[in-house]
Amino acid sequence: MANVQFENLFKNYGDVKAVHDFNLKIDEGEFIVLVGPSGCGKSTTLRMIAGLEDITSGLIYIDEKVINKIHPKNRDIAMVFQNYALYPHLSVKDNISFGLRAQKIPRAEVEKRVVEASETLGLEGLLSRRPGELSGGQKQRVAMGRAIVRNPKVFLFDEPLSNLDAKLRHKMRAEMKKLHKKVGTTTIYVTHDQIEAMTLADRIVIMKDGLIEQVGTPDEVYRRPNNIFVASFIGSPAMNFIEGEVSKVSKASSMIMLEDKKSIKLKSNNFYNNQNIILGLRPEDITVTSQNSGKNDNIIGLDAEISVIEPMGHETVVICDSNYGELTGKVESNSKLKENMAVKLNVSLEKVYLFDKKSEKNLNL
Ligand code: ADP
């Protein structure tokens, strides 16, 4: 186990700023997930730690020691790739032990570690098979086995589950979490999938265009997103956004006018006149009703018409047309709602996120 630290890390490929002033401190034993859309610099960051990519500027430390100039082989790191990178002509056992044998570790020790890792990963019955005789999930486990036996200071995972089907991905996600609990190795995991990030991470690092947008626990990035990007990236279905303009600020409250001139009173004067703001409504915070629920100053009620109903089994997603564009809500699966029905979308004011349109920053923070 080790701590890892990044100080003003940059990576340019010609004019492309792949990673831009990346600063982060990872504690011993932490499970950190780097998440963001394709091309945001996640893999480049991981590859710089592994030593597979040169660093343009900045420092990476493992246990307070700068590793920039240390040969990849000597960094005491194990990486698991998306395509598993197994040797097709070697058995599972030889694939798992390959790195150890290359390090000239005594045969009995190699044997012991292979047995332990294969028990941990449920590979005992497969040790003599070749990768071609394994399913995707089994290959994935072999790749993990190869990383575990090395007993490294840090695990690096680059989208390790994205070649698996949805069911297996879910299963392996849970196994990955159990494995981390058991071995406790500091882990840095890259994915573009926010659900994977939320379910696995102690802390999530959300990236966009080479920059860190926010670092926080799953709960923090969900409840207190720094900005519109984080708010829209975390949560499924994604947060709804509607535009408003501050029409009046008084001593203890402010009026916000929506696009259709509907106005909302907020108990805060932390705005300025004519400020353009974006209201964020999470689908799970919206109550969809077919009747008017009466006037309540603590609730925003938006008129809408249901365009699509998506039953998910345990819940139902309701997509609506409204004066504010498409809005998505989530309801219980036994709801009587139907397509083309006129509805009210009610959201309690305390659940509404407020962002400044220009800076895109969260005004509630
Ligand atoms: P992610 O892992 O988030 O999908 P990457 O780290 O792979 O993103 O890439 C970050 C940016 O750097 C992208 O714009 C990508 O096109 C660019 N990039 C990555 N590798 C290279 C390379 N070898 N040469 C030039 N540009 C690259």
Side-chain angles (χ1 to χ4, degrees), residues 1-6 24-33 46 49 61-63 75-80 147-148 151-157 176 179-189 200 202-203:
M1 269 205 269
N3 61 55
V4 181
Q5 193 176 343
F6 304 86
L24 181 70
K25 212 172 168 176
I26 300 174
D27 288 333
E28 232 179 70
E30 248 193 315
F31 198 126
I32 290 285
V33 177
L46 205 68
I49 310 168
Y61 300 81
I62 295 184
D63 278 344
R75 291 189 184 193
D76 207 355
I77 276 171
M79 186 152 169
V80 176
I148 293 174
N151 198 12
K153 282 188 171 170
V154 184
F155 280 140
L156 304 179
F157 289 104
M176 192 105 43
L179 180 71
H180 181 251
K181 226 180 198 172
K182 191 163 172 184
V183 299
T185 308
T186 311
T187 300
I188 308 174
Y189 185 107
L200 285 170
D202 291 321
R203 282 190 302 154

Side-chain angles (χ1 to χ4, degrees), residues 188-254:
I188 308 174
Y189 185 107
V190 159
T191 179
H192 62 274
D193 178 351
Q194 61 95 16
I195 295 181
E196 227 167 272
M198 291 292 276
T199 50
L200 285 170
D202 291 321
R203 282 190 302 154
I204 300 179
V205 178
I206 298 162
M207 296 179 70
K208 181 186 159 210
D209 300 336
L211 289 164
I212 294 182
E213 294 286 323
Q214 186 164 359
V215 181
T217 64
D219 197 57
E220 279 164 358
V221 296
Y222 174 80
R223 288 184 199 286
R224 291 187 279 125
N226 279 349
N227 53 40
I228 291 181
F229 176 75
V230 175
S232 62
F233 195 78
I234 299 291
S236 175
M239 187 184 276
N240 299 288
F241 296 103
I242 63 180
E243 296 203 15
E245 187 180 327
V246 177
S247 56
K248 193 171 149 207
V249 183
S250 49
K251 224 170 179 181
S253 66
S254 307

Side-chain angles (χ1 to χ4, degrees), residues 13 16 18 37-44:
Y13 294 106
V16 179
S38 179
C40 72
K42 309 177 293 290
S43 294
T44 303

